[in-house]
Each structure stands twice: as structure tokens, then as C-alpha cells.
Amino acid sequence: MSLDTTTAMPTNGRPIPDPVPNDLTLPQSVDVVVIGAGIAGVCTALELAERGLKVALCEKGDVGAEQSSRNWGWVRLSHRDPREMPLMVESVRLWKGMNERTGAETGYRQCGITFSVTTDEALKEEEDWAQILQEYQIPARVLPAPEALNAFPGLTAPIKGALYNPHDGRAEPQKASPAIANAFRMLGGTVHQNCAVRTVETSGGKVSAVVTENGTIRCSSVVVAAGIWSRLFLGNLGIDLPMLKTTGTVLRTDPVPDGPEGTFKFQDYTFRRRLDGGYSISGPQTGLYEITPDSFWLAPKFFPALKSEFTRLKFRFGKRFVQEMKLPRKWGATDRTPFEDTRIYDPQPDTKAIDKVYAQLQAAYPAFQGVGIAQRWAGYIDVMPDIIPVVSSTEGVRGHIPGLFVASGLSGHGFGLGPGIGKLMADLVTGAVPVVDPSQYRLSRFSDGSKIAPMEGILRR
Ligand SMILES: Cc1cc2nc3c(=O)[nH]c(=O)nc-3n(C[C@H](O)[C@H](O)[C@H](O)COP(=O)(O)OP(=O)(O)OC[C@H]3O[C@@H](n4cnc5c(N)ncnc54)[C@H](O)[C@@H]3O)c2cc1C
């Protein structure tokens, strides 16, 4: 942890999710083991428990301590790839009832998000986005600059206008996953933290158990919701999940008296209000892509995504390459695994870049002038080649194991999608009619000859 000399307050150090009680005794046998207690894992566990299944949730560190506590907290329908829209519409419906469902504060608020643009051409593109939203009866509209800035008195951003969607919202990353995990426990589910799953065992070719560092749990289904670790975990089972990682940095401010409720995106900065009265600030310039051995192995699959991100990301070739080169790719049930060696992945924030972002915001918006920096952090983001999550069985892929499911590769926008992903995953595990067409999210799309590419223009947003 470093000290910010201007405020004499600790300003780095990871965001700490609300605590969740730990179940130390492993059940001998359950219906489903969920691996990973980020937003995808906790939402899946809660859905399954609500349907009466016996579920154990295993987490190598603390509930929500990786991506799910480090994100911007945006729950947005806008600028979504149409392939994700049905799942996101369902997610927003679930977010709206999440406080009541969990009996706890997840921080969800339908606050609206303003996506500002600086050129006429970009404003025209926003008209297209508004139309996509209107097809789902979402009353998004394109606003001229003065109207777009109305909700942010004093902000002097040189914008042409904005897409405004009143149905977009926010939730609190450090509260939501713990609240959902606690609700899951109230239904009889067990949460095992500091309990890495090493591997999956099979009997007669089907899932029969998971082996954790603390013992074995018999089960007939396993959901891998292990975030950035899913590729490594599944690789050990002989299943290829083509996933890369990028890093993003976030800054949290001290409380801003009478600060705006709405969330705002400008080309140089973004801000969204937090329950504690401060703001989570970020900007596109804080994205970092560290080159690893996977970058080369997966290059052909990721070429379209990397090409369109080339100008926005900083690329770095450094010690991360060597660290990942040394990672074991194969192990057995009795071996210590990389999951036990890294309980919580806590990358270094790009302090220089995020401070520049904040300085730009302060210069443009008097509401932030004199407001101190409370904290900065970074988080790894798991990304699929088409920027669409995997919510799927392993059917149709090499190494298929009946009873094994994957909810991962949420591609930088999975916090908002989490509740819908949990519901869809529970449908797949239980054989219920899926809440949305699951074919877009199948794992086999990467190996069955399908064309794989992000939606044109989506990465510029
Ligand atoms: C800086 C940043 C900003 C973002 N902003 C937004 C945003 O505004 N809106 C949005 O919707 N999304 C956003 N995202 C993306 C979002 O945070 C992720 O898509 C989402 O949180 C991923 O959830 P997850 O459950 O898949 O993964 P994670 O939250 O990473 O959870 C996976 C968990 O699995 C555990 N695990 C891994 N391996 C094992 C094992 N073998 N055994 C047991 N446990 C294991 C890990 O410890 C981890 O806790 C952002 C992400 C970042 C980093």
C-alpha cells in the first residue's frame, strides 16, 4: 500500500467486499458445486438454491474479491451488442428486485447514464443505438448538448450531444456479490472461502465430484464461474476456453456534497455516484493489455478484437509474460495449484493514468474541485474473442464432460449481466426452458466453424 502525500490517506489497496460468513465444513455431497464467488457464481448459486437444489459455492479467496468488486458498477442496457440484449433486459429486471430478493442493499439504483459524444458523426451513431434500445421499449433518446448537460450543472465538456437512457443504472460492486451470497446461505447453501477447487472428477464419463484443497465434494453438476482463471482450470481438463485478459484502473473519490445522481461518460473520463457519496472515476486511457504466451496462441481468434482496440489500449511486454509462461498447465488432484498460490489477484493500478483522468474531470467540473482521492485500484478483465460471455454446457467441444458447465468470459460488462447469467445457467443445469435463447453464449461457437467477431463499432464505445 502506498501513501498519497497530498491527502496523507492510504489511496491504493484493493476494494474490500462486504464480509460473508465462511462455512468451514465441506458437505460430502451436493447437487451442484459452483466454482468462483464473483457475480456470475453467486447469482447462479442463488438461482439454483431457490429452485431447491443443494449447492456448494467454492471460492479460492473471498466472495467477490476479484473483478466483481473492482468494476465501475454500471448496469447498462446502452451500447450492448444485440446478441446480449435479451440477457441484459432480463438482468435489469432482476436487478430491480435484487434488494428485496436478498433482503440486503446491493446498491442498485436506476440512475440513468449519459453517453456524450464530441462529433456529429458519433451523434448519428448514437441515433442507431437509441433505435436498438427503442426496439426493446426502452425510452432512450439522443439529446443536444445543453439538454445532456442539464443534469450536471457546471460541467463544461465540449460535447455535441449524448445518448441518454433513463433505464440504465448502477449497483455497488463491493456490496452486491456478498449480499447475493448471504441470501444463498440463508436458503441453506454453503459458502467455502479460501477453498480453491483443484479439479473435477468423473465416473462413467460424467461429473461425479470436485476436489478442493480442503477435500472432495460429490456432485452431479459443476459450474465453472472462475473469471480470469476459467481458462486455466478448464485447460487442465482438456477443454479450450479462448480467453485473454486486460486491466482497467478505477479511482474512488471522497464524498461530493450535492454531487449529481446520474452517471456520465465523456471521451476523457467517466463518473458514477456511489452509495457512500463519493464517485467511481475511470477513463478509456487506463486500459492496459499485457502480452502473455496466450496472446500468441490465441492471436488468430482475437485478431478482430485486438485490431479495433489497438489505439485505445496500452500494450506492455514485461514480467507478466514470464509469470504466465511459468504457470503449470497440468496438475492432478493432489497437487498444489495456481489457484491456491493467488488467493486474490490484485494488479497494480496505473496511478499516473488515472490521476490524469481525474485532473481532467476536476478541470471540467467544479463539483469535483477540492475533492480528495480516497482510493485507486485495478482489476483484470476476462475477454472472449467476440466480447460475448460463455454461458454453456461443454457439449460440442473437445473434452466435453456431461454435467460440466461454464459461466465465464463476461468480457468487461458482466457485473450488469450477472443476474441474467445466473438465471440462464440455472436453467441449463436443471434442464428448464432457458430464459433467453442460449445459443449465442455456447462454448462450441469457438470450434464449430462459426464466424467469431465483436459487433462492428462496439469496442469504440
Ligand atoms: C476495472 C473494471 C471495470 C468494470 N466495469 C464494469 C461495469 O461498469 N459494468 C459491468 O457490467 N461490468 C464491468 N466490469 C466487468 C465485470 O466486473 C466482470 O465482467 C464481472 O465481475 C465478472 O464476474 P465473474 O463472476 O465472472 O468473475 P470474478 O468476479 O473475477 O469472479 C471469479 C471468482 O472465481 C474465483 N476462482 C477462480 N478460480 C477458482 C478456483 N479454482 N476455485 C475457487 N475459486 C476460484 C476467483 O477468486 C474469483 O473470485 C469491469 C471490470 C473491471 C476490472
Side-chain angles (χ1 to χ4, degrees):
M1 189 180 289
S2 69
L3 287 180
D4 180 343
T5 48
T6 57
T7 60
M9 275 178 63
T11 54
N12 289 337
R14 69 181 177 90
I16 307 290
D18 287 350
V20 175
N22 197 15
D23 296 300
L24 291 173
T25 309
L26 288 187
Q28 286 191 341
S29 172
V30 296
D31 297 312
V32 187
V33 172
V34 177
I35 305 174
I39 196 77
V42 296
C43 289
T44 302
L46 178 62
E47 279 283 347
L48 289 167
E50 284 173 342
R51 297 177 197 200
L53 275 80
K54 193 170 176 200
V55 182
L57 177 60
C58 293
E59 165 55 54
K60 68 179 171 59
D62 298 340
V63 169
E66 290 198 339
Q67 292 177 84
S68 295
S69 59
R70 292 160 191 263
N71 59 70
W72 297 0
W74 293 26
V75 177
R76 65 175 168 85
L77 288 144
S78 306
H79 293 162
R80 282 270 165 200
D81 188 316
R83 290 171 286 186
E84 277 186 353
M85 275 304 277
L87 198 55
M88 194 57 208
V89 169
E90 178 60 16
S91 291
V92 168
R93 194 187 69 73
L94 292 167
W95 272 115
K96 284 181 183 164
M98 198 59 96
N99 283 358
E100 201 182 330
R101 185 176 171 197
T102 58
E105 178 61 90
T106 61
Y108 179 74
R109 301 287 186 273
Q110 195 176 295
C111 58
I113 302 183
T114 303
F115 293 84
S116 72
V117 290
T118 54
T119 64
D120 289 325
E121 193 196 356
L123 199 58
K124 175 78 201 55
E125 283 179 21
E126 296 303 338
E127 298 277 5
D128 298 340
W129 285 107
Q131 193 150 2
I132 293 177
L133 289 161
Q134 283 155 15
E135 280 163 24
Y136 287 88
Q137 282 77 51
I138 298 158
R141 52 192 200 279
V142 172
L143 304 176
E147 211 182 315
L149 292 172
N150 255 348
F152 309 97
L155 174 59
T156 53
I159 65 170
K160 282 279 178 193
L163 173 71
Y164 172 66
N165 179 5
H167 283 209
D168 282 335
R170 62 177 196 245
E172 286 304 331
Q174 286 112 63
K175 293 193 161 298
S177 299
I180 297 166
N182 278 322
F184 161 70
R185 281 190 85 245
M186 298 292 282
L187 293 174
T190 51
V191 178
H192 310 283
Q193 296 168 93
N194 287 305
C195 181
V197 176
R198 290 177 171 168
T199 192
V200 170
E201 289 190 335
T202 57
S203 167
K206 297 181 185 160
V207 164
S208 61
V210 297
V211 182
T212 79
E213 61 184 308
N214 301 327
T216 298
I217 309 175
R218 288 200 309 279
C219 59
S220 52
S221 300
V222 171
V223 177
V224 179
I228 59 163
W229 302 90
S230 294
R231 173 169 168 76
L232 196 61
F233 187 88
L234 289 165
N236 184 48
L237 301 177
I239 295 171
D240 184 40
L241 181 73
M243 173 192 279
L244 289 177
K245 302 186 280 288
T246 63
T247 315
T249 292
V250 182
L251 179 153
R252 173 169 75 83
T253 71
D254 288 336
V256 180
D258 305 320
E261 271 302 310
T263 296
F264 189 83
K265 179 170 194 281
F266 179 59
Q267 62 186 12
D268 298 332
Y269 48 75
T270 69
F271 57 83
R272 83 94 191 150
R273 192 163 176 81
R274 303 167 54 90
L275 269 187
D276 60 18
Y279 283 77
S280 285
I281 312 285
S282 197
Q285 305 86 337
T286 69
L288 173 68
Y289 178 71
E290 291 177 283
I291 294 169
T292 64
D294 276 347
S295 311
F296 295 100
W297 294 326
L298 296 174
K301 284 199 164 79
F302 275 87
F303 184 70
L306 284 173
K307 200 172 100 195
S308 52
E309 281 294 81
F310 199 74
T311 51
R312 283 204 340 179
L313 283 175
K314 272 187 231 162
F315 287 75
R316 185 195 286 161
F317 187 85
K319 62 176 187 233
R320 181 105 208 104
F321 185 91
V322 181
Q323 283 167 354
E324 291 215 3
M325 195 74 194
K326 286 184 182 160
L327 272 184
R329 306 265 156 185
K330 285 281 170 198
W331 56 84
T334 54
D335 298 329
R336 189 178 168 85
T337 63
F339 316 116
E340 291 141 82
D341 291 334
T342 307
R343 294 281 166 201
I344 296 170
Y345 215 159
D346 191 25
Q348 278 297 308
D350 187 338
T351 303
K352 200 169 152 202
I354 195 70
D355 286 3
K356 186 171 165 205
V357 166
Y358 189 42
Q360 284 168 323
L361 172 61
Q362 287 181 305
Y365 201 172
F368 287 92
Q369 282 162 20
V371 175
I373 296 169
Q375 197 179 15
R376 308 176 188 90
W377 64 80
Y380 276 110
I381 302 173
D382 53 356
V383 185
M384 302 309 292
D386 49 6
I387 325 291
I388 300 284
V390 172
V391 189
S392 175
S393 70
T394 58
E395 222 172 300
V397 301
R398 199 158 52 134
H400 166 51
I401 303 175
L404 184 64
F405 297 84
V406 183
S408 209
L410 276 46
S411 299
H413 38 234
F415 182 62
L417 277 170
I421 286 176
K423 183 159 191 179
L424 178 59
M425 191 78 260
D427 291 340
L428 298 181
V429 170
T430 58
V433 177
V435 60
V436 298
D437 174 6
S439 61
Q440 310 279 12
Y441 315 116
R442 72 192 190 286
L443 176 57
S444 61
R445 68 187 190 264
F446 300 111
S447 51
D448 66 6
S450 300
K451 183 170 180 284
I452 297 294
M455 179 198 175
E456 189 68 25
I458 193 94
L459 293 169
R460 290 203 303 272
R461 298 291 117 207

